[in-house]
Amino acid sequence: MTDRDDDEPVLVAYPDGPFLLRGNVKVVGPDGQELPRRRRTVALCRCGKSTLKPYCDGTHKLIGFRTEPEEPGRDARDAAAD
């Protein structure tokens, strides 16, 4: 592992969940305006269903969002039941 500056932006794809954005970086909306950031690390929606987009609100857990391809013949409800 290498040393890095704490302000260096890092984007981590959390398995079956959001993107975690760490570091000194602006989050900008479609209108070009900077969006509020209250924490140094923020979770960005990856499932597309958050009511707080672009931020994650945990909906990925409710809908059974998976980052791996589903098995043929299975839907998200089957996977969530596992």
Side-chain angles (χ1 to χ4, degrees):
M1 190 178 250
T2 61
D3 292 328
R4 68 174 189 82
D5 184 345
D6 283 342
D7 288 338
E8 180 183 351
V10 176
L11 185 67
V12 178
Y14 195 79
D16 299 333
F19 289 114
L20 298 180
L21 179 61
R22 296 183 177 109
N24 187 18
V25 63
K26 291 180 183 177
V27 177
V28 179
D31 61 358
Q33 295 295 312
E34 185 175 352
L35 298 173
R37 253 184 99 169
R38 295 184 192 106
R39 297 183 174 138
R40 197 171 168 285
T41 299
V42 294
L44 301 175
C45 177
R46 190 156 63 150
C47 73
K49 302 297 182 184
S50 173
T51 59
L52 301 174
K53 288 180 205 153
Y55 300 115
C56 174
D57 67 359
T59 299
H60 60 275
K61 295 176 201 170
L62 297 173
I63 66 169
F65 176 73
R66 298 288 181 252
T67 55
E68 296 297 320
E70 294 179 14
E71 297 173 24
R74 286 178 54 112
D75 65 20
R77 290 176 302 229
D78 294 332
D82 289 344

